[in-house]
Amino acid sequence: MRQILLFSLFLCYHYIYGQIPNLPQRPGVSNLYSVPESLNNQPSHRPNSPNINATSNYYKKVTPRDDQDEINKEVDRQMAMIREESYVKNYMLTSLSDRKGTDSYYRAFDNLMKFDPDSYSITDAVFLVENAYNNNDHNFQSAYQTQIQKATNMIRQQMKRSVIDDSDNVAKNLAIFRYFAQDTKQNGKVIHKAIKYDFEDYMGAKDYSKMFVSKLMKTNTGQCHSMPLLYLMLAEQIGAEAFLVVSPNHSYIRFKDGDGEVLSVELTNGMFSANSFVLNSGYIKAEALKNKLYMQNLSKKEVLSQTYVDLASGYIHKFGYDEFVAKVLGKALELNPNNINATLWKSNTDQMRFMQACNRVNIDPENKEQLQKIRNYPPLENQFLEIKAGFDYIDQSGFAQMPAEQYEKWLGSLQTTENKQKSEEIAERLRILNAQKQREAAKKIKLIVPKKESPKVYAIPKEFL
């Protein structure tokens, strides 16, 4: 999974605020174009023209008090708008809405907002994110739908050949796992090769589309962001239950076997693993487990939260930071307050907002002496305090930065003799159980002509196109 890097220039400035009070652990999620309470409470300075109280007795006689109240309310409203416009101009991130392609992201966000967080199509959600990056290209839409349907059909055919009962969740998961880990043959011919890990630019630093499921399906190579997502999508298509799980720099799949034991699937290596493998990375603190940052089976709502993060991340990589990013991340944290990726991106967004605002008032945020001047600008001071609160929360959450080289070393350790043996033991046990189920299912098959049913075809909803 792509690692999010925090800016560090504010870490050395904590000494400036020796009198900072204790703040809540979780930083507040910024609302789009929200004005601080301190500004809302400032007295209005009304122009003289509508001040009817200061006019002649004639006007007092013919003008009801209700009219005066309405005029005062309208003046207050207009002054509040002026204050808000001034705040947006001076203290919020510059809008990037004039950039070509941003409208695709706005549309994707609006469509995601229509989803029921507990009941939606993960396949559709991933499509919206990747389609936005591709500017709603019709060729992309057609290829995406075709590739998903092709993969689904291969798995269904494998299930049919293996006489897999539709209620057998373990067997269905194994069918998906085989699609990733083994070549698929038909009439002795390989029609699909095992999916390989793409070690070149696997974090998407040079080419962000390396993160996408569509790239995986096109090239048959992926990484630990795209592979588990495709697995979830295929599980959804054939009605299998599986869960997305995240750990530092990484994500993988879990499902339960017939005995109720939880199995971890490492698609990057095509192996099964134990929880100890993830813990052995050395970057999962006890606090992170306590705060449920890692190694949790994500619910559909929590997966949707990560989808919003993916949308924001793609927008940042393509255009940069603006208040749309803050809005998307706010929704991600609303769905899952423990989403550490959303929290890290929010911290970056808060810092970018602060730096832009400082530049507008000629303050160099990297100059310790100049930074003292933010005391003269209450909105800037509030932003600084929110950033500090965000750093405090991240520090206390148990998050730890995992260097790329350490991640690669840890991922390669799955190939050690001990881990290979563990994976083979799990796979062998599952093969034995699965073969036994197939024999039992074959005995129950009645010699009747089965009713033909048309396979379900995945189609992108028309409202997304």
Side-chain angles (χ1 to χ4, degrees):
M1 181 176 292
R2 195 187 196 306
Q3 181 59 55
I4 301 170
L5 300 178
L6 290 168
F7 293 121
S8 60
L9 61 93
F10 296 100
L11 291 174
C12 61
Y13 299 144
H14 287 216
Y15 80 96
I16 296 175
Y17 283 84
Q19 301 301 319
I20 291 179
N22 292 328
L23 298 170
Q25 290 186 4
R26 172 162 292 286
V29 178
S30 301
N31 293 319
L32 185 62
Y33 299 144
S34 61
V35 182
E37 196 66 27
S38 58
L39 288 182
N40 285 329
N41 291 335
Q42 288 182 0
S44 299
H45 299 285
R46 304 189 184 97
N48 292 327
S49 55
N51 190 353
I52 297 179
N53 285 333
T55 57
S56 65
N57 290 332
Y58 172 79
Y59 285 104
K60 289 182 180 179
K61 290 178 181 178
V62 300
T63 304
R65 181 63 191 175
D66 288 346
D67 289 348
Q68 175 66 60
D69 290 343
E70 287 302 314
I71 291 173
N72 288 345
K73 288 179 181 178
E74 177 61 21
V75 172
D76 285 341
R77 188 185 69 82
Q78 292 181 11
M79 293 304 296
M81 287 178 62
I82 292 172
R83 291 196 303 273
E84 182 171 352
E85 289 173 1
S86 175
Y87 181 82
V88 169
K89 180 180 178 180
N90 294 312
Y91 298 108
M92 303 297 276
L93 286 161
T94 301
S95 174
L96 302 174
S97 59
D98 59 338
R99 302 280 185 89
K100 183 180 179 180
T102 53
D103 56 327
S104 297
Y105 275 86
Y106 304 153
R107 183 177 177 182
F109 177 78
D110 290 341
N111 280 321
L112 285 175
M113 287 289 288
K114 297 173 185 176
F115 284 9
D116 179 346
D118 299 311
S119 178
Y120 66 95
S121 168
I122 295 174
T123 310
D124 289 347
V126 173
F127 167 76
L128 287 173
V129 171
E130 299 188 10
N131 189 43
Y133 192 85
N134 286 278
N135 298 322
N136 294 337
D137 184 273
H138 288 289
N139 291 329
F140 171 80
Q141 297 167 3
S142 176
Y144 182 92
Q145 181 171 316
T146 300
Q147 289 163 341
I148 290 294
Q149 194 59 53
K150 182 180 178 182
T152 303
N153 289 341
M154 285 185 188
I155 295 171
R156 283 178 176 151
Q157 289 169 8
Q158 174 62 36
M159 290 171 56
K160 185 177 181 180
R161 286 194 297 269
S162 301
V163 198
I164 293 175
D165 187 271
D166 195 56
S167 64
D168 191 340
N169 188 60
V170 176
K172 288 194 287 187
N173 272 283
L174 288 176
I176 302 172
F177 177 74
R178 278 194 292 270
Y179 174 81
F180 279 84
Q182 301 174 11
D183 293 346
T184 302
K185 296 182 179 181
Q186 189 174 42
N187 299 324
K189 183 180 178 182
V190 176
I191 59 173
H192 166 73
K193 288 186 174 294
I195 299 173
K196 303 296 184 182
Y197 190 89
D198 185 357
F199 286 95
E200 184 180 350
D201 190 28
Y202 63 89
M203 296 176 72
K206 297 177 182 178
D207 179 6
Y208 188 71
S209 67
K210 289 263 190 170
M211 308 290 291
F212 292 161
V213 170
S214 52
K215 177 266 178 188
L216 186 163
M217 292 189 294
K218 183 178 180 180
T219 65
N220 216 43
T221 61
Q223 31 73 295
C224 66
H225 177 266
S226 58
M227 285 181 171
L229 275 182
L230 178 58
Y231 190 107
L232 278 188
M233 292 159 58
L234 295 175
E236 180 178 75
Q237 295 301 310
I238 67 170
E241 182 183 65
F243 297 95
L244 182 68
V245 185
V246 298
S247 63
N249 296 44
H250 194 59
S251 62
Y252 56 101
I253 293 292
R254 276 185 187 160
F255 66 89
K256 289 184 179 180
D257 68 9
D259 297 327
E261 182 179 345
V262 176
L263 302 178
S264 297
V265 182
E266 288 292 348
L267 299 169
T268 54
N269 302 83
M271 295 171 63
F272 295 98
S273 70
N275 283 334
S276 58
F277 170 70
V278 178
L279 292 172
N280 286 340
S281 71
Y283 285 85
I284 299 183
K285 299 179 181 178
E287 295 89 344
L289 294 176
K290 181 181 178 181
N291 293 320
K292 298 183 178 180
L293 301 189
Y294 303 126
M295 300 183 71
Q296 302 290 315
N297 290 353
L298 298 186
S299 65
K300 291 205 73 171
K301 181 185 290 187
E302 290 164 339
V303 172
L304 185 59
S305 171
Q306 187 56 44
T307 303
Y308 278 103
V309 174
D310 289 342
L311 186 71
S313 177
Y315 185 94
I316 292 167
H317 280 82
K318 198 168 186 180
F319 307 109
Y321 291 87
D322 66 4
E323 294 303 330
F324 173 73
V325 173
K327 184 177 182 180
V328 176
L329 294 174
K331 183 61 180 179
L333 287 168
E334 176 188 322
L335 291 170
N336 180 13
N338 296 324
N339 190 326
I340 188 61
N341 293 323
T343 300
L344 295 173
W345 277 126
K346 180 185 181 300
S347 179
N348 282 1
T349 306
D350 292 344
Q351 292 171 69
M352 289 297 296
R353 182 187 297 111
F354 180 79
M355 288 193 291
Q356 281 191 17
C358 282
N359 290 333
R360 293 185 189 119
V361 294
N362 297 317
I363 292 176
D364 182 358
E366 297 189 63
N367 184 298
K368 297 177 182 178
E369 298 302 323
Q370 288 193 29
L371 196 62
Q372 299 276 0
K373 296 179 182 178
I374 67 172
R375 294 178 183 275
N376 300 325
Y377 302 91
L380 272 182
E381 190 172 23
N382 289 339
Q383 287 182 5
F384 183 92
L385 291 174
E386 183 171 1
I387 290 168
K388 179 186 180 299
F391 281 157
D392 290 344
Y393 169 76
I394 291 168
D395 289 342
Q396 295 166 20
S397 71
F399 168 77
Q401 188 85 3
M402 189 176 187
E405 59 274 13
Q406 188 62 36
Y407 171 70
E408 293 174 18
K409 182 179 178 181
W410 167 74
L411 198 61
S413 70
L414 192 62
Q415 299 292 341
T416 63
T417 302
E418 181 182 355
N419 286 322
K420 278 186 175 181
Q421 184 177 350
K422 178 66 175 177
S423 175
E424 290 170 0
E425 288 174 358
I426 296 172
E428 181 61 24
R429 179 166 59 84
L430 289 175
R431 278 194 292 268
I432 293 172
L433 290 174
N434 199 42
Q436 182 179 351
K437 288 181 180 179
Q438 289 179 17
R439 287 193 297 270
E440 292 174 354
K443 292 177 182 178
K444 296 178 181 178
I445 294 178
K446 295 181 180 179
L447 298 177
I448 59 174
V449 179
K451 180 181 178 182
K452 280 194 172 183
E453 293 184 1
S454 300
K456 294 180 181 179
V457 177
Y458 171 70
I460 297 169
K462 292 181 179 179
E463 60 266 27
F464 296 165
L465 305 178

